[in-house]
Amino acid sequence: MTLEDVSAVAVAGDEHEACAHARRMMAALGFPLHEPGMADTPARLVKALRELAAGMREDPGRHLEITFPPESSDPGLIAVTNVPFISLCEHHLLPFTGTMTVAYAPAPGAPIVGLSKLARMAQGFAARPQVQERLGEQIVDALHSRLESLGAACHLSAEHFCMTLRGIRAAGAKMATLHLKGVFRTEPVMRENFFHLHSSGA
Ligand SMILES: Nc1nc2c(ncn2[C@@H]2O[C@H](COP(=O)(O)OP(=O)(O)OP(=O)(O)O)[C@@H](O)[C@H]2O)c(=O)[nH]1
Ligand SMILES: [Zn+2]
């Protein structure tokens, strides 16, 4: 099989060039692509990267466009906790995975968003080459600007495989980040309520 041979793994039309490059890269690194089990590995690698970076090809903020009328004139604080996410470290293209707590404070009278959309939006931003700091920032920015909310908050905790499986191999180490906007930054009570919901996990 030559390096340019098309793999038996079905790939999208625009992925053939990526597969040929992946095959060359793996061959240059000495991977035994002649072994039957590895013949299709370059194509699988391309498909896996495409899947993990699917958020590059969408606007994750669009999930916040599906809203409902408010239930109360004093909507308080709405949070979703323990949402799992998978992201791709932009330095190594290795995953970082963990959980997030995402919250926003709707303006009185403003529409509210469906609960699952908070997770869809956040997971969409995660599905891009990222650093954790930017991911948290993009999540609170979307909640603050697209919903015109009084404030937004995001706590992320994740294991970075580039740090736990290779390099320093600090097994069990996690990165924690916190991003606060609007009333979560200016009003200590809102911040305390966010931490309370986050740590109680409910
Ligand atoms: N701040 C931040 N750093 C990250 C994130 N993901 C990976 N990194 C770090 O990015 C850095 C890249 O450093 P380099 O020295 O260029 O890469 P490297 O030689 O592979 O570094 P080592 O991991 O120390 O072996 C590493 O320190 C990673 O731990 C992230 O989300 N945020
Ligand atoms: Zn990394």
Side-chain angles (χ1 to χ4, degrees):
M1 187 178 281
T2 70
L3 296 181
E4 280 73 25
D5 277 346
V6 173
S7 167
V9 170
V11 292
D14 59 347
E15 286 175 356
H16 288 297
E17 191 183 349
C19 290
H21 286 299
R23 183 171 293 282
R24 280 189 214 101
M25 179 185 79
M26 293 186 67
L29 287 170
F31 284 95
L33 295 176
H34 53 276
E35 298 286 349
M38 291 203 77
D40 293 330
T41 300
R44 292 191 193 95
L45 176 63
V46 167
K47 286 177 68 135
L49 281 174
R50 191 179 175 91
E51 183 181 333
L52 287 167
M56 287 192 307
R57 297 180 294 279
E58 68 153 339
D59 167 20
R62 77 190 157 85
H63 296 296
L64 303 179
E65 286 166 9
I66 298 171
T67 57
F68 304 102
E71 292 297 326
S72 144
S73 58
D74 181 14
L77 157 58
I78 297 166
V80 58
T81 64
N82 284 316
V83 179
F85 72 93
I86 303 170
S87 194
L88 210 51
C89 150
E90 73 178 9
H91 305 118
H92 300 91
L93 293 185
L94 288 172
F96 62 98
T97 68
T99 54
M100 59 175 100
T101 296
V102 176
Y104 74 112
I112 54 173
V113 75
L115 188 62
S116 67
K117 308 306 179 191
L118 298 176
R120 284 186 187 280
M121 174 274 295
Q123 289 182 344
F125 283 118
R128 292 175 169 186
Q130 284 284 13
V131 290
Q132 191 169 318
E133 293 92 328
R134 187 191 316 124
L135 176 58
E137 190 67 32
Q138 289 177 337
I139 291 169
V140 292
D141 271 353
L143 286 167
H144 200 34
S145 61
R146 304 217 28 172
L147 295 178
E148 296 182 4
S149 64
L150 298 180
C154 175
H155 181 280
L156 301 172
S157 171
E159 175 181 357
H160 289 244
F161 288 180
C162 66
M163 185 177 171
T164 59
L165 300 184
R166 59 153 295 284
I168 189 69
R169 296 194 188 195
K174 288 192 171 177
M175 180 176 193
T177 50
L178 177 66
H179 286 85
L180 305 170
K181 272 214 179 304
V183 289
F184 291 99
R185 183 170 282 280
T186 56
E187 293 185 22
V189 172
M190 291 298 283
R191 203 158 52 235
E192 274 167 33
N193 288 342
F194 172 75
F195 285 126
H196 178 69
L197 289 178
H198 166 67
S199 52
S200 67

